[in-house]
Amino acid sequence: MKKRISVLCLAAAMILTAFSGCSSSDSQSSGSAGSGSESNNTPTETVELEFWGWWSSDARKPYIQEMVDNFNESQDQYKVTYVDIPFGDIFTKNIAQIAAGNPCDIMANSMEEVRFRANEDQVEALDEYITDDIKSYFYDQYIDACTGDDGVLYAVPYSVDTRAIYYNKAHFEEANVDPASIQTWDDLIAAADKLDQKDGDTWTRVGFMPVLGNGGVDTWMINANKGVAWFNTETLEPTVNSDVNKDVLKWIRDRIDHYGQAEYDNLSAAFSSGMTDPFASGTISMLVHTSAYTSSLAQTAPDLEYGVIPLPEYKAGNGHTANGGGFVLEVPKGAKNVAASCEFIKYATSKDTQDFLATKIGDFSARNDFDDSSEFFQNPITQDLAKCLEETSTVIIPNEIKGYTDVINPLIEEGTLGITDTDTALDNAQKAFEDFVASK
Amino acid sequence: MFSKVLGKLGIKTNQGRETFYGYIFILPWLIGLLCFTLGPMIFSFITSFADYNMRSIEFTGLDNYIYMFTKDQLFGKSFMNTLVYSLMNIPLVTIGGVIVAVLLNKTIFGLRTFRTIYYLPSIMVGVGTYFLWMLLLDPANGLVNAALSVIGIDGPAWLTDPNWTKPAIVLMHLWGLGGQMLLYLARLQSIPNDYYEAASLDGANAFHKFIKITVPLISPIIFYNLVIGIIGSFQVFQEGYIFSGNGSGSPAGSLLFYNLLVWNNAFKNFDTGYANAMCWFLFAVVMILTVIVQKSQKKWVYYEEGDNDD
Amino acid sequence: MIEKKITLGKIVLFIILTLGALIILFPIFWMVSTALKSAPEVAQYPPTLLPEEPLWENFAIAWQKAPFTQYTINTLIIVFFTIIGGVFSNSLVAYGFAKIDFKGKKLLFKVVLATMMIPGFITLVPQYVIFSKIGWVDTYLPLIVPAFCANAFHIFMMRQFYRTIPNELIEAAKVDGAGHFYIWGKLIMPLVKPVLATVALINFKGAWGDFQGPLLYLSDRAKYTLQLGLQVFKGEGYTQWNYLMAISFLSMIPILILFFCFQNYFIQGMNTSGAVK
């Protein structure tokens, strides 16, 4: 018996050494830090770079891969590998790697929080490599979003999005609704009423429900306030329970009541399961969604005839403000080759590459040097979305009050769901926000 | 092999030998503890007293704990969410597991297939399962509400009604109780039939036999599952993360479980020091609960060897 | 008379079990049904119960979308070592805690219990840093080696089973001059085979389904596991549910077969009391 155990131990030890042996040789050849390729034939050492994003679908990944391949072929100094990691998990892995001092070289991330990550020392400064002339090719608001409190650039805009109302063309024709007639919230409701269809007690067609799809309470608040709704941008004082906000939340709740809580529950559950899509199936006529929705509709409803209109005005003359955001490319703190990474970032955000990505994937660019000659802009849906983009507000939460949304959102949602009266819900949220500021 | 070592170490007493062998047997675990667990634990404990974001560390004394108990509005909410969920989940899944195990311990046509089917959900891993359940729990078209309507019940809007989100998760876990069931079944099979025959001769009915024979004999496994259940329930994370769509814990914060808040603090807000402080509080709570269960063990857990003292 | 009663009871039991089985099988039925649908049909609202036209080729298409054969082999390598390590180390350590009376045992067992209660997020990053410093990142070692160091949950579980084995058995063997390794290997291991099998199964399940571990530690695509491979179907804002479900279903089959064939092994009597008599 004793003999057998020692044999077992020995075997285990051998296996382990074998494993670590082959692993160490592996890690040499595929190290993310780019220790150089093993073949010494090339005179200059190729720098290997890892580029992380979460884009893994057929609609995007092949084109990102193509873009990366093009970059690799365009020069022989750098070799980029695209790695897709699921959204959410990508942050866990990134933080672990930053802590270990060996992060990836280039990472996609959300534009809204660049400033926060800069403040927390999670990203490298890029000023040295991304010069002012490069910056000048992007719209100011997006460069601003990529700039830290210290005035240093920490990321480069990669793609931007906006929100619009998608409508079902067949429904509109049948109900005789002209999309151009929807200019204000009142017009929207009037159109929705025409589109509604009911069979006894059950809705067979829902004209419009405000907080479904990718539109939330935020969308309407920002639309009504022409931008930031929850706090004063100068003083950072909470303005959650302002008169406008109370009016907006009541409007949302009234709209849900119009269809009934049960109908809202049904549709909301259908969207959140991620599988079914009531807009794609023609159950609802209008839906707020981001500009990226077109690529998912291409998969789930290739035959659907739909159009796009801007979010209507809260009151005539108030403007069609939509909330939007975007994604950036940045270099995680501690990455070994910031200069090389920036070469790739410059390539990925260059006019030609952005045009390629926009045409293939359908994402909008943050660059200001596009003209209508691009193939991308020939698509009528794209043209309409581009108009929405012009009235898009990207809310960057100041670092001083970062995290307040976690505190107020559940309370506001109680109002949306009809658990508390809408005015009370906003009053509660206001109080919570004030307490939050006080505790900071 | 070891006797020489023992001799060299000068260990001659029986107790000494036992201690030596004891440590040899637990050596794999000790190595793992020292190499992979102890360091991280100490590190996280120290940083729980600091403002730490993986990049820089600044000691702030008890500030994290003070903020947690007096100022963080989400801390209490997430703790209550977790507590309420645990109080539903632990007893129901435990009782369900025992019942199914007892039913599957009979001889019946198709037993092998039944056992496989009942075990099946517990091998369904991956996020796909969660999304399947979102479809099953769909208020309008889901199977769960369709089944309820057959018996005349108008089912709730499970995952969109804040009051029903936690029961929905418990329901999903009841479906997956096969793993627990397997352990009970393994123990049940080792109970000799004579116990039941003797009881039958004394005129005991099925319920009596269940209470007087079955339950005591599987009590070590119930105890195990109870402890595991407490630990697991208080660390519920994935369900809240996926069902709330974006990790926010919606609807109305009802799925903001404790560990979801920890994750948000650590990996979204870069507030690792605070997240660690939260973890250590949870650790303390679970520890206390486990000690209570452990102490109660003497009263209801039956070991054949007879010593219940640890 | 008696026989008839038993039969009636069994029929009721059979009906109850069948109903339960149908409920349990429904999600799996839905899984397969989704796997056979086209993308627009998956998105259809209200959803259809059965595919209009079952697309059996979805399984083949899905398998081609990523090197799933390679991923399966990779996963099996990890699973193999995890099972060996898990069964060996856990049974050893659990025996130590259940059947050997050594100094510091009570304290150390409390530590075992305590390590179970540590929220996983506490150790996630520091452990990553450790594995990174010793150069194990992007190898299978961080996924395999810890299995050889026993797992607190499994130690605890096995100890619960060991404790149901009467001490007389061990005492008697000791009187005969047997050492602990002999008792553990020759006497106890055969008695707790079902539990060992269960631990093996749990290890199989754990390693087969692990997502977080491989995600954190593996970067090289050639080393990916099945669970990581499944991510190829999950896009941003749009998921290829039919393919995801197809591969999810296929990936369940090995455990299913394993369980079906060896279930007697998992749940057969431990015959401990038989050994005493």
Side-chain angles (χ1 to χ4, degrees):
Chain A
M1 187 62 217
K2 280 174 190 167
K3 218 175 194 173
R4 229 161 84 192
I5 287 167
S6 50
V7 168
L8 250 173
C9 293
L10 199 68
M14 276 165 62
I15 289 161
L16 282 180
T17 22
F19 254 92
S20 49
C22 75
S23 65
S24 57
S25 64
D26 275 356
S27 60
Q28 266 167 22
S29 60
S30 65
S32 65
S35 45
S37 64
E38 277 179 83
S39 60
N40 290 326
N41 300 342
T42 42
T44 48
E45 282 211 355
T46 310
V47 181
E48 294 198 12
L49 302 169
E50 245 183 60
F51 165 35
W52 283 13
W54 49 86
W55 299 293
S56 59
S57 64
D58 277 356
R60 285 161 195 270
K61 194 178 160 187
Y63 304 111
I64 294 172
Q65 189 61 55
E66 195 179 332
M67 182 260 286
V68 168
D69 291 343
N70 289 343
F71 174 72
N72 290 340
E73 279 162 27
S74 70
Q75 42 69 45
D76 51 11
Q77 272 179 289
Y78 318 108
K79 186 173 179 298
V80 176
T81 316
Y82 175 60
V83 182
D84 57 297
I85 296 162
F87 194 80
D89 301 299
I90 196 171
F91 306 119
T92 318
K93 188 165 175 167
N94 182 41
I95 288 176
Q97 292 205 345
I98 288 178
N102 196 16
C104 69
D105 300 283
I106 305 116
M107 182 164 149
N109 217 326
S110 70
M111 187 183 284
E112 290 90 330
E113 300 201 326
V114 174
R115 203 172 285 175
F116 177 59
R117 286 191 297 275
N119 202 39
E120 294 288 338
D121 199 23
Q122 305 290 318
V123 282
E124 293 283 351
L126 306 181
D127 262 6
E128 202 183 313
Y129 315 98
I130 309 291
T131 44
D132 283 349
D133 57 311
I134 301 172
K135 283 200 251 182
S136 69
Y137 288 115
F138 295 89
Y139 287 106
D140 287 346
Q141 58 165 326
Y142 299 122
I143 286 294
D144 189 41
C146 292
T147 309
D149 289 341
D150 51 5
V152 174
L153 188 79
Y154 285 95
V156 181
Y158 175 71
S159 69
V160 292
D161 65 18
T162 183
R163 276 173 183 72
I165 294 182
Y166 287 73
Y167 67 89
N168 186 313
K169 279 192 174 167
H171 292 186
F172 268 49
E173 271 169 36
E174 189 202 312
N176 202 12
V177 178
D178 174 15
S181 72
I182 302 175
Q183 290 299 325
T184 64
W185 290 19
D186 290 340
D187 297 339
L188 181 69
I189 298 307
D193 287 343
K194 279 200 223 170
L195 291 156
D196 283 344
Q197 274 179 4
K198 215 173 181 183
D199 179 19
D201 279 342
T202 47
W203 293 94
T204 51
R205 192 160 84 192
V206 168
F208 181 73
M209 217 185 265
V211 283
L212 289 178
N214 209 306
V217 173
D218 270 19
T219 302
W220 300 102
M221 292 289 178
I222 287 168
N223 177 277
N225 286 283
K226 294 182 271 185
V228 180
W230 304 125
F231 57 89
N232 181 313
T233 45
E234 301 288 317
T235 61
L236 302 186
E237 275 167 15
T239 56
V240 180
N241 60 352
S242 70
D243 291 342
V244 176
N245 291 358
K246 282 187 172 174
D247 187 44
V248 173
L249 193 60
K250 187 166 181 312
W251 178 80
I252 291 172
R253 184 60 219 170
D254 283 350
R255 212 47 214 162
I256 294 174
D257 277 336
H258 168 74
Y259 294 104
Q261 182 66 31
E263 189 60 28
Y264 167 78
D265 288 340
N266 294 347
L267 290 170
S268 163
F271 275 111
S272 62
S273 80
M275 280 200 207
T276 53
D277 183 336
F279 179 74
S281 325
T283 307
I284 54 180
S285 306
M286 291 187 277
L287 181 72
V288 178
H289 221 296
T290 64
S291 41
Y293 190 43
T294 50
S295 69
S296 109
L297 280 177
Q299 304 278 340
T300 54
D303 303 326
L304 183 76
E305 296 263 324
Y306 63 90
V308 169
I309 50 172
L311 291 179
E313 297 176 303
Y314 170 59
K315 296 280 179 307
N318 200 57
H320 299 272
T321 317
N323 59 325
F327 298 114
V328 298
L329 298 182
E330 62 190 23
V331 180
K333 193 79 186 184
K336 302 284 182 295
N337 293 296
V338 185
S341 303
C342 282
E343 286 307 311
F344 175 71
I345 291 177
K346 276 189 237 169
Y347 177 84
T349 56
S350 67
K351 188 179 174 190
D352 287 349
T353 312
Q354 291 273 294
D355 189 31
F356 167 79
L357 291 172
T359 310
K360 297 293 183 188
I361 297 175
D363 280 345
F364 284 90
S365 172
R367 287 184 76 94
N368 55 23
D369 54 353
F370 277 102
D371 49 49
D372 294 346
S373 65
S374 164
E375 187 193 332
F376 177 55
F377 286 103
Q378 303 305 311
N379 182 337
I381 299 270
T382 306
Q383 287 168 11
D384 290 337
L385 285 170
K387 276 178 214 139
C388 302
L389 197 61
E390 284 165 18
E391 285 194 68
T392 297
S393 158
T394 303
V395 176
I396 310 294
I397 298 169
N399 289 329
E400 293 88 341
I401 53 169
K402 176 85 178 57
Y404 81 91
T405 47
D406 295 340
V407 174
I408 66 167
N409 281 348
L411 297 168
I412 295 168
E413 207 175 350
E414 285 181 4
T416 320
L417 293 174
I419 297 164
T420 46
D421 167 67
T422 53
D423 284 3
T424 319
L426 289 176
D427 289 339
N428 291 344
Q430 172 79 16
K431 169 91 181 36
F433 199 161
E434 283 163 5
D435 290 348
F436 177 79
V437 173
S439 73
K440 269 277 172 175
Chain B
M1 179 166 102
F2 288 113
S3 49
K4 277 185 200 157
V5 185
L6 281 173
K8 274 189 187 157
L9 287 171
I11 296 168
K12 291 197 178 72
T13 62
N14 203 24
Q15 184 56 49
R17 284 173 58 87
E18 288 288 290
T19 300
F20 174 78
Y21 274 107
Y23 281 94
I24 293 289
F25 269 82
I26 67 164
L27 197 59
W29 171 76
L30 268 180
I31 291 171
L33 180 77
L34 295 175
C35 294
F36 306 130
T37 316
L38 207 58
M41 275 177 74
I42 294 168
F43 182 74
S44 73
F45 187 70
I46 293 171
T47 52
S48 78
F49 299 98
D51 183 3
Y52 170 62
N53 65 0
M54 306 276 178
R55 297 281 316 150
S56 61
I57 187 162
E58 188 189 328
F59 285 94
T60 54
L62 287 171
D63 277 8
N64 282 336
Y65 291 92
I66 292 168
Y67 182 78
M68 185 160 88
F69 293 123
T70 59
K71 289 174 181 160
D72 189 349
Q73 302 178 51
L74 299 171
F75 166 77
K77 190 179 180 95
S78 68
F79 187 76
M80 282 314 288
N81 276 339
T82 310
L83 189 68
V84 169
Y85 158 76
S86 300
L87 286 175
M88 284 190 281
N89 190 57
I90 300 167
L92 283 174
V93 174
T94 306
I95 293 169
V98 172
I99 291 174
V100 175
V102 168
L103 291 182
L104 287 176
N105 193 35
K106 314 270 192 229
T107 43
I108 188 162
F109 176 73
L111 187 66
R112 222 179 149 78
T113 312
F114 277 131
R115 282 178 179 169
T116 309
I117 291 173
Y118 279 82
Y119 182 71
L120 203 119
S122 71
I123 62 169
M124 288 187 65
V125 285
V127 288
T129 317
Y130 294 104
F131 289 101
L132 272 178
W133 268 90
M134 285 169 104
L135 282 185
L136 296 177
L137 292 167
D138 188 281
N141 307 293
L143 174 86
V144 176
N145 280 0
L148 287 176
S149 69
V150 170
I151 50 171
I153 298 172
D154 199 8
W158 296 97
L159 293 173
T160 36
D161 183 338
N163 293 318
W164 284 97
T165 47
K166 293 182 212 59
I169 295 176
V170 174
L171 199 69
M172 188 178 94
H173 286 169
L174 278 173
W175 176 71
L177 51 72
Q180 276 211 15
M181 172 213 67
L182 189 67
L183 292 181
Y184 293 125
L185 211 50
R187 182 75 186 118
L188 281 172
Q189 293 270 306
S190 70
I191 301 175
N193 242 335
D194 357 344
Y195 286 19
Y196 292 103
E197 278 158 20
S200 293
L201 288 178
D202 291 346
N205 62 24
F207 181 72
H208 268 122
K209 279 190 264 184
F210 175 71
I211 294 296
K212 296 283 176 195
I213 302 172
T214 312
V215 172
L217 285 176
I218 62 170
S219 59
I221 313 303
I222 296 180
F223 169 71
Y224 167 77
N225 279 328
L226 204 58
V227 173
I228 298 301
I230 292 171
I231 295 169
S233 290
F234 276 88
Q235 294 195 22
V236 59
F237 167 74
Q238 200 76 22
E239 289 83 347
Y241 185 77
I242 293 176
F243 286 159
S244 67
N246 46 11
S248 67
S250 59
S254 64
L255 288 178
L256 183 73
F257 291 121
Y258 197 85
N259 259 355
L260 192 52
L261 187 58
V262 170
W263 190 84
N264 281 336
N265 279 325
F267 296 105
K268 280 170 85 179
N269 299 340
F270 307 110
D271 216 346
T272 316
Y274 184 60
N276 283 341
M278 281 188 70
C279 281
W280 279 98
F281 174 72
L282 183 69
F283 176 76
V285 170
V286 173
M287 187 69 130
I288 289 166
L289 286 174
T290 313
V291 167
I292 293 170
V293 175
Q294 190 103 19
K295 293 278 178 218
S296 77
Q297 193 182 191
K298 278 179 197 147
K299 295 206 171 69
W300 62 275
V301 180
Y302 171 82
Y303 293 106
E304 294 199 20
E305 64 183 68
D307 71 329
N308 294 342
D309 56 347
D310 58 319
Chain C
M1 186 66 192
I2 289 167
E3 220 159 34
K4 198 180 172 187
K5 206 174 156 187
I6 290 168
T7 318
L8 191 73
K10 284 207 170 159
I11 289 171
V12 173
L13 179 65
F14 186 78
I15 291 170
I16 292 173
L17 286 178
T18 309
L19 279 176
L22 287 178
I23 293 171
I24 283 171
L25 283 178
F26 197 85
I28 294 148
F29 159 76
W30 203 313
M31 190 176 202
V32 179
S33 160
T34 307
L36 296 172
K37 289 177 182 174
S38 66
E41 199 184 348
V42 172
Q44 203 163 308
Y45 179 85
T48 50
L49 200 58
L50 281 168
E52 284 156 7
E53 192 190 338
L55 303 170
W56 294 101
E57 64 269 28
N58 277 359
F59 283 94
I61 296 172
W63 195 262
Q64 303 296 328
K65 290 261 176 186
F68 278 109
T69 313
Q70 179 64 43
Y71 295 167
T72 309
I73 295 168
N74 293 345
T75 314
L76 284 173
I77 293 173
I78 298 172
V79 164
F80 177 75
F81 287 105
T82 310
I83 290 180
I84 303 233
V87 169
F88 178 76
S89 62
N90 286 309
S91 67
L92 202 65
V93 176
Y95 178 88
F97 278 117
K99 294 298 177 193
I100 303 178
D101 204 17
F102 58 92
K103 262 186 211 151
K105 176 166 105 167
K106 281 185 183 169
L107 177 73
L108 282 172
F109 192 69
K110 286 199 174 94
V111 178
V112 172
L113 290 179
T115 56
M116 297 198 306
M117 298 165 204
I118 301 169
F121 293 129
I122 265 191
T123 49
L124 187 116
V125 170
Q127 260 177 11
Y128 182 90
V129 174
I130 291 174
F131 286 127
S132 170
K133 294 282 179 236
I134 53 178
W136 284 9
V137 168
D138 211 21
T139 75
Y140 295 144
L141 291 173
L143 309 172
I144 292 171
V145 173
F148 282 85
C149 296
N151 167 299
F153 287 92
H154 298 164
I155 297 172
F156 184 29
M157 185 182 91
M158 294 197 76
R159 178 175 166 274
Q160 289 301 97
F161 276 92
Y162 278 148
R163 290 185 76 185
T164 63
I165 298 169
N167 275 340
E168 293 91 326
L169 218 66
I170 291 158
E171 292 308 322
K174 273 191 190 163
V175 171
D176 292 346
H180 276 299
F181 276 105
Y182 182 85
I183 297 172
W184 169 72
K186 286 277 172 184
L187 216 60
I188 306 292
M189 289 279 257
L191 284 180
V192 295
K193 266 185 197 162
V195 186
L196 293 179
T198 307
V199 168
L201 184 73
I202 294 173
N203 272 307
F204 189 119
K205 227 169 70 180
W208 189 259
D210 187 16
F211 174 70
Q212 186 89 62
L215 179 98
L216 212 53
Y217 289 109
L218 302 178
S219 295
D220 184 359
R221 207 165 287 273
K223 296 191 185 111
Y224 270 20
T225 62
L226 264 180
Q227 286 299 323
L228 286 184
L230 278 175
Q231 294 304 320
V232 77
F233 305 120
K234 293 204 72 213
E236 48 309 310
Y238 172 66
T239 301
Q240 295 171 304
W241 287 107
N242 42 359
Y243 299 147
L244 180 68
M245 289 301 163
I247 302 292
S248 297
F249 179 74
L250 291 181
S251 74
M252 270 168 55
I253 291 176
I255 312 180
L256 209 62
I257 294 174
L258 200 74
F259 183 76
F260 188 80
C261 296
F262 296 102
Q263 64 164 287
N264 279 353
Y265 220 79
F266 299 129
I267 45 196
Q268 108 201 131
M270 298 199 297
N271 296 324
T272 45
S273 29
V276 182
K277 275 165 207 162

